[in-house]
Amino acid sequence: GWETVSLALNKTLVPTSLNLSEYFKQFVFPQHECELHDFRLSFSQLKWDNWIVAPHRYNPRYCKGECPRAVGYRYGSPVHTMVQNIIHEKLDSSVPRPSCVPAKYSPLSVLTIEPDGSIAYKEYEDMIATQCTCR
Amino acid sequence: SQASRGETQIAAGAELKSKAEPWSLLRPLDERDRSDFLSPVFRVLYDGQGGTPRLQPDSRALRYMKRLYKTYATKEGIPKSNRSPFYNTVRLFTSCAQRKRAPGDQATGSVPSVDLLFNLDRVTAVENLLKSVLLYTFSNSISFPSAVKCVCNLVIKEPEFSSRIPSRAQSSFNFNLQFEIKKKYRWFEVDVTTPLRPLVASNKRSIHMSVNLTCERGQGQDSSAWDKPFNVTLLVPPSLLLYLNDTSAQAYHGWYSLRYKRRPSQRADQNGGLSVCSKGKGSAEGVRSSRHRR
């Protein structure tokens, strides 16, 4: 019945600017919503494999995507994020929308050859993003 | 507080060793500034070189550390929860100078005493020593019929250049060390934490020691039980292994997250009913799961 509805609307002189599909778009969740993405790299690509012995592959992951307007429950965002959204939309578009950033990380163990030839096993905090949020 | 403590210690370390803050890119990093893995990363990002030329490590030592890595971390580099959460750094040093002093004695199984010099420049001021061992390996895999009992005599010396310190300053430690050598055993450790702790804590940059290891037949072993004497010449001069806890903010403190992570059972207990199950059923389940586990 989509055609009939749109024909009816045309007859009733709905302003051409108001296009239903456009209108609904603002409520649909963004196609490229804020979420975690993989980025697998090997230290040989960076030419660091002469001193980083392990791991061979490292996936630090990253956050990318748009922050939906209703960010509250899904991203654990503080109320401030909603406020920033409203400011951007209603008051001043130079204030940026909330950004999609990592919220949680996991550590990484590395085995390296030190300049003096000694070998070090070290565990570093916050080396792999595990969860995204909108801030 | 963790970060600030780490930073104060790093700052303290900086006065001690005039090392730069690993994060400060405001001035070019030079040789002395590399304090750990991350600052070389920044150095590479900063000056775009693929890292400075490095001395190649001993192949046996590299093989040991690769095995240690596989024990402690997954293939993706995630630390496993089964390792000790108290140290987040393990450093292996190969002696930069070895000199055999007294020849070994095949009959009594005494290993030729060796002079060893370890350069600990890479140990940073924020790394606290938890355990240190001398790591012995055999030049090729040999097997013994049973346990071997050894006595280790360790003499820690002042570095050569401080010759003005009288020899009495040398501290000697005798260890009665018992270890079990099984078939195809390639490594064994001599725990030297006690004598080394004060040296590492005082930021000693090099440790000079002589080690004498004497191994004898297992008690009550008649000579026929040994198809060949404890062949001491197969022992390779030991490496020094330091288990450290890096207290800086960027190091991973697994014990910290263990201590502050509530266990599900605690949560069930707090909900009361959930964790209570009928005695019989619970015990049956317990037995079944333990049998299953066995």
Side-chain angles (χ1 to χ4, degrees):
Chain A
W2 184 253
E3 297 72 25
T4 46
V5 168
S6 56
L7 282 175
L9 279 175
N10 288 342
K11 282 184 187 148
T12 52
L13 298 182
V14 170
T16 49
S17 62
L18 179 59
N19 178 326
L20 269 183
S21 57
E22 284 305 315
Y23 178 70
F24 282 132
K25 261 183 192 164
Q26 63 181 314
F27 300 111
V28 173
F29 279 118
Q31 296 310 309
H32 307 295
E33 193 179 333
C34 170
E35 61 184 354
L36 206 54
H37 295 264
D38 284 329
F39 187 86
R40 288 183 176 76
L41 66 90
S42 68
F43 289 115
S44 54
Q45 287 171 279
L46 296 169
K47 295 186 177 43
W48 291 356
D49 51 333
N50 61 328
W51 58 289
I52 299 180
V53 178
H56 298 301
R57 288 176 305 284
Y58 168 39
N59 179 7
R61 293 197 172 130
Y62 65 96
C63 294
K64 180 183 174 186
E66 288 169 35
C67 287
R69 304 174 79 239
V71 289
Y73 62 94
R74 269 208 302 168
Y75 289 97
S77 304
V79 178
H80 173 272
T81 312
M82 313 271 274
V83 173
Q84 186 173 333
N85 230 344
I86 292 170
I87 293 173
H88 171 79
E89 286 182 2
K90 308 283 185 198
L91 303 178
D92 181 351
S93 59
S94 68
V95 171
R97 280 188 181 284
S99 308
C100 173
V101 293
K104 282 186 184 168
Y105 299 91
S106 72
L108 180 75
S109 298
V110 291
L111 190 63
T112 58
I113 297 175
E114 304 282 62
D116 63 351
S118 64
I119 307 169
Y121 165 88
K122 284 192 83 75
E123 295 172 354
Y124 285 99
E125 196 74 272
D126 303 341
M127 292 288 279
I128 300 174
T130 56
Q131 192 176 332
C132 298
T133 183
C134 287
R135 287 279 191 272
Chain B
S1 63
Q2 183 75 23
S4 57
R5 190 160 62 88
E7 273 147 14
T8 42
Q9 282 184 340
I10 288 180
E15 277 136 38
L16 278 178
K17 297 191 296 183
S18 72
K19 280 190 180 291
E21 281 289 326
W23 306 97
S24 70
L25 289 177
L26 300 179
R27 56 191 180 78
L29 296 170
D30 56 24
E31 285 300 310
R32 287 172 299 107
D33 289 344
R34 278 170 306 178
S35 62
D36 61 7
F37 166 69
L38 288 184
S39 54
V41 169
F42 275 90
R43 184 172 47 72
V44 168
L45 293 178
Y46 183 74
D47 53 23
Q49 290 159 20
T52 51
R54 297 161 184 266
L55 298 176
Q56 280 313 305
D58 173 73
S59 57
R60 290 188 193 92
L62 192 53
R63 197 181 316 135
Y64 180 87
M65 289 301 275
K66 284 180 178 174
R67 275 182 41 192
L68 180 136
Y69 185 86
K70 284 179 186 156
T71 309
Y72 289 170
T74 64
K75 208 177 267 185
E76 289 70 34
I78 310 291
K80 292 179 184 173
S81 53
N82 64 349
R83 84 212 181 298
S84 162
F86 298 105
Y87 45 76
N88 50 26
T89 299
V90 182
R91 289 185 181 278
L92 186 144
F93 297 94
T94 307
S95 170
C96 35
Q98 294 152 20
R99 207 161 13 109
K100 294 198 178 188
R101 290 155 37 94
D105 177 348
Q106 191 79 19
T108 60
S110 71
V111 182
S113 144
V114 280
D115 259 6
L116 302 166
L117 181 62
F118 294 105
N119 170 9
L120 304 190
D121 230 0
R122 304 302 303 168
V123 181
T124 63
V126 292
E127 290 174 351
N128 299 335
L129 179 70
L130 299 176
K131 177 182 169 189
S132 63
V133 299
L134 286 176
L135 192 64
Y136 277 94
T137 179
F138 294 99
S139 47
N140 52 31
S141 62
I142 51 178
S143 62
F144 289 89
S146 67
V148 176
K149 183 178 176 191
C150 294
V151 175
C152 171
N153 181 282
L154 180 73
V155 178
I156 306 268
K157 304 180 166 191
E158 289 307 320
E160 300 295 321
F161 52 80
S162 59
S163 53
R164 60 182 179 286
I165 297 178
S167 59
R168 70 170 184 287
Q170 297 181 2
S171 39
S172 168
F173 294 83
N174 277 299
F175 285 80
N176 276 308
L177 170 93
Q178 179 106 14
F179 58 84
E180 186 88 20
I181 293 191
K182 297 186 179 69
K183 292 206 175 301
K184 298 282 177 255
Y185 196 93
R186 293 301 297 268
W187 311 89
F188 64 90
E189 299 179 346
V190 179
D191 191 315
V192 291
T193 308
T194 310
L196 258 59
R197 190 188 298 278
L199 301 176
V200 175
S202 61
N203 279 326
K204 208 88 167 161
R205 290 300 86 198
S206 63
I207 291 183
H208 185 192
M209 62 172 81
S210 76
V211 188
N212 188 333
L213 201 57
T214 307
C215 299
E216 53 203 27
R217 296 176 188 282
Q219 297 302 332
Q221 291 285 342
D222 59 352
S223 55
S224 61
W226 285 54
D227 52 354
K228 54 188 156 198
F230 181 74
N231 189 343
V232 291
T233 54
L234 292 174
L235 273 180
V236 174
S239 304
L240 179 64
L241 207 53
L242 302 183
Y243 293 86
L244 305 145
N245 175 34
D246 183 334
T247 56
S248 64
Q250 72 259 21
Y252 175 54
H253 302 288
W255 53 272
Y256 188 80
S257 52
L258 280 181
R259 184 184 300 171
Y260 294 103
K261 186 190 294 178
R262 289 187 325 150
R263 279 187 294 280
S265 56
Q266 279 173 333
R267 207 174 298 128
D269 294 345
Q270 279 155 6
N271 299 343
L274 282 182
S275 64
V276 179
C277 53
S278 65
K279 194 70 191 148
K281 177 168 166 287
S283 55
E285 256 178 16
V287 168
R288 192 177 314 125
S289 62
S290 62
R291 185 179 305 124
H292 171 69
R293 221 181 2 259
R294 257 202 302 283

